[in-house]
Amino acid sequence: MAERVIVHEVGLRDGLQNQPRMVPVEGKLELLDALIAAGVRSVEATSFVSPKAVPQMADAAELYARIPKRADMNYEVLVPNEKGYERAVAAGARTIAVVIAASDTFNRRNINMSLDEATLVCEAVVRRTKREGHRSRAYISALAACPYEGVTPPERVFDLTAKMFDAGADEVALSDTIGAGNPAQIEYLFESAIRRHGAQRIAAHFHDTRAMGLTLAWCAIKAGVRKLDSSIGGLGGCPFAPGASGNLATEDLVFMLNEAGYETGIDVEGLRRAVMIAERLTGQSFGGRMTNFFRAQDARRQAKAKAS
Ligand code: HMG
Ligand code: MG
């Protein structure tokens, strides 16, 4: 039987958070429906952050109340602090993601906390999440490099990962915020983290800034990772990380995994519909590295239909 890999869709949060055009709740729900129809079952639905910091996420509570609650869907939400946790739980969220950067400056720019403050706040939220019977994920961002401080010392990543597990996190998502990683570095980071904490508890989150997204995803798979984040159409990027462009595109990741014989449960053709919806909602052109291939395939099909 094919081995299962969870493709965790972050387009509704990481994907949209940087978009200048406000996408209404109805539009987000339409995109979510298309993703679910394509077979996506794991989604980061939104973030309960300051609406002043990220206006696109101001509708978090309303959106969460209206997402289709299905037994086979896993929804996560991101929170930056206890206030976000309380808002998220009040809205019905049961899997909570905290975010800490392995760099002092990036924490200050992203969540207005020093590295030490961010560590304490994330530990407190993770402990509370566990105490109150919910699940938690901790993002360790700036995995490979920080946009302000340069290359991240691996020991800092390992230290923060251990702290988040000690606090009770169910999962740590090692996150290459600005797509700065190279294969050798990513192999080393994931192999080391998995040796210490086990493959089931380490997820991977890549941005495709330097065209390395798929390569790094494959390195993570080879290291043993079985849960990877991606964003429909490659939408996304952190507004507080200069140079952070889109996430690894879901359609590219799913295509690679399906072709390599892993079981994702997701249909690439269904994802193409979701990309079109994302384009309409944001007024921008998206699509992963498969886009040109898909367009050429469509043109060939149309030409054949016309000729017959
Ligand atoms: P601050 O200004 O220092 O916060 O922002 P504060 O505690 O001084 O509060 C200021 C105001 O915000 C107050 O309201 C608070 O009540 C309110 P006022 O009195 O002015 O009316 N506030 C909140 N409102 C709603 N929800 C909350 C909340 N907390 C405070 N949770 C803060 C600090 C953390 C709030 C802010 O900087 C923030 O929200 N940052 C979020 C930044 C963000 O969303 N970044 C993107 C996500 S991380 C990412 O993309 C990386 C990732 O994808 C992985 C990777 O790629 O590496 C995960
Ligand atoms: Mg990200």
Side-chain angles (χ1 to χ4, degrees):
M1 213 175 78
E3 211 181 333
R4 183 98 189 157
V5 174
I6 297 172
V7 174
H8 180 59
E9 172 63 43
V10 297
L12 288 164
R13 195 276 304 166
D14 206 344
L16 292 180
Q17 69 186 6
N18 217 2
Q19 283 300 311
R21 183 196 279 184
M22 286 302 124
V23 177
V25 169
E26 283 70 22
K28 292 176 182 176
L29 292 170
E30 185 189 358
L31 180 57
L32 177 58
D33 279 345
L35 290 163
I36 294 174
V40 171
R41 293 293 178 268
S42 187
V43 169
E44 188 161 284
T46 186
S47 59
F48 291 83
V49 298
S50 157
K52 283 181 202 144
V54 187
Q56 186 71 257
M57 298 290 123
D59 60 7
E62 188 193 345
L63 178 71
Y64 202 88
R66 292 178 58 188
I67 55 176
K69 309 287 186 317
R70 299 170 33 148
D72 61 349
M73 283 302 296
N74 165 48
Y75 293 112
E76 302 185 1
V77 300
L78 182 143
V79 309
N81 53 17
E82 294 236 15
K83 175 163 183 163
Y85 172 82
E86 282 161 11
R87 287 179 60 215
V89 171
R94 294 297 175 260
T95 302
I96 306 293
V98 297
V99 57
I100 184 166
S103 128
D104 192 64
T105 317
F106 186 39
N107 280 306
R108 290 179 193 276
R109 300 290 171 97
N110 194 34
I111 50 176
N112 199 21
M113 297 175 208
S114 67
L115 176 56
D116 290 344
E117 284 167 329
T119 307
L120 291 174
V121 167
C122 286
E123 285 173 332
V125 173
V126 165
R127 276 197 208 99
R128 185 165 170 194
T129 307
K130 195 176 173 74
R131 207 168 51 239
E132 297 183 1
H134 310 310
R135 279 183 60 79
S136 66
R137 145 183 276 216
Y139 283 102
I140 311 288
S141 64
L143 171 69
C146 161
Y148 306 100
E149 295 182 12
V151 175
T152 301
E155 285 314 320
R156 202 180 291 153
V157 172
F158 301 142
D159 176 51
L160 291 172
T161 302
K163 283 187 166 132
M164 291 302 119
F165 281 130
D166 286 348
D170 293 288
E171 176 179 293
V172 164
L174 298 180
S175 307
D176 185 11
T177 319
I178 54 167
N182 68 66
Q185 182 190 24
I186 291 300
E187 260 173 38
Y188 169 69
L189 288 165
F190 279 89
E191 281 170 5
S192 307
I194 283 174
R195 206 175 310 117
R196 292 170 206 203
H197 305 288
Q200 291 312 311
R201 300 205 290 165
I202 301 290
H205 177 108
F206 295 113
H207 286 254
D208 205 18
T209 320
R210 292 168 179 79
M212 286 283 105
L214 270 184
T215 308
L216 302 183
W218 189 247
C219 292
I221 287 281
K222 289 282 112 186
V225 169
R226 292 296 177 267
K227 182 171 177 183
L228 289 103
D229 297 1
S230 59
S231 171
I232 189 70
L235 259 165
C238 177
F240 310 100
S245 68
N247 289 65
L248 170 60
T250 305
E251 59 273 28
D252 290 351
L253 177 65
V254 167
F255 184 82
M256 178 181 81
L257 293 171
N258 287 355
E259 287 286 305
Y262 290 98
E263 167 69 42
T264 63
I266 303 173
D267 164 41
V268 175
E269 290 295 325
L271 292 176
R272 294 181 64 193
R273 212 186 123 240
V275 173
M276 284 186 249
I277 293 171
E279 289 188 322
R280 172 164 47 75
L281 293 172
T282 58
Q284 298 209 39
S285 185
F286 290 109
R289 287 163 197 286
M290 294 290 296
T291 304
N292 287 341
F293 171 79
F294 285 143
R295 287 194 183 129
Q297 207 180 34
D298 286 346
R300 273 196 301 275
R301 265 197 218 121
Q302 277 162 11
K304 212 169 153 189
K306 220 170 161 187
S308 63

